Amino acid sequence: MQNEVVSREEWLEARRALLVKEKEETRLRDSVNAARLALPWVKVDKDYIFETPEGGKSLADLFDGRSQLLIYHFMLGPDWDAGCTGCSFLSDHVDGALPHLNHHDVTWVAVSRAPLDKIAAYKQRMGWQFPWVSSFGSDFNFDYHVSFSPEDLAKDKVFYNFTPMQPADANDELPGLSAFYRNDKGEVFHTYSSYARGPEELIGTLMILDRAPKGRNEDSTMNFVRRHDEYEEAAKAPSCCH
C-alpha cells in the first residue's frame, strides 16, 4: 500500500509538523536520560562468581579496571542449542562500540547461564569479540530476574520487568540489561536495569529501519529477524530492462 502522493509544498508542511514531534521526542529522551542518571543505587553485597576463559571472576573483576559495567543478559540457557535470535540481533551491534565504550570508562560483558564451552562455540559461530561469561552455578541471573527455574514457572506469577507476569508469558530465560558502578574502595553498586523492549535503542538496525519508507515492516515485534548467518539472499526486484 502506497502513501498519499502530494506536492513538494504539501510534503514540506507535513514534514515540519513531524519535526515538531521529533523535537519533543528528543527533549523527552533527554529528560528520561537525566532521570535515569538520578536513580538511587543499591550496594551489591552478594558474592557472584562467573566462569570466564581466564578462570573464575567476581562481579568486581568483570569491570576490567574501569568504574562502569554494562551487563547484557543474553538468553542462552544451559541446555539451549543456540542463542536467542533477538539477543543475537542486538549483539551484532556491540563490537563496533567496544573501543568507544572502553575509552569512556565503560566495560560491556554479556552473561548467560549456558556453560562456557557452549558460549564459546556460539560466539565463534557469530564471529563476535565482546566479553561473554557464564553465570552457571550462581544466583546472578535469578537475582536479576532474567532466569526462571521450573519451580518459578509453576507458580501463579513470575517477576519480570519490575512487574508480576503470567508464567505462560515468560520463559526459562529472558533478556535484559543491567548497569553497575565500582568505586575506588572496590564497592559495587547496581544502578539500573532494563528489560523486554527496554534496550531496543541499542539496536541500530531498528533505528535505521524506522527511517526507511516501510519502517520495520513487521507483523509482530522483530518477527523478521534471523541470526545473521541464517538469512537467505533476498530476491532481487525484477528489472524493467529484462
Side-chain angles (χ1 to χ4, degrees), residues 72 74 83-91 203 222 225:
Y72 183 65
F74 194 113
C84 161
T85 302
C87 292
S88 300
F89 186 38
L90 184 148
S91 296
I203 306 177
M222 297 198 306
V225 174

Side-chain angles (χ1 to χ4, degrees), residues 79-127:
D79 54 357
W80 288 33
D81 294 326
C84 161
T85 302
C87 292
S88 300
F89 186 38
L90 184 148
S91 296
D92 280 338
H93 298 78
V94 172
D95 280 348
L98 287 181
H100 307 286
L101 293 173
N102 291 346
H103 283 85
H104 205 53
D105 194 33
V106 177
T107 296
W108 175 282
V109 178
V111 172
S112 300
R113 288 191 63 242
L116 199 60
D117 58 346
K118 187 168 287 190
I119 288 174
Y122 189 66
K123 182 178 177 181
Q124 181 178 23
R125 171 186 164 183
M126 294 288 100

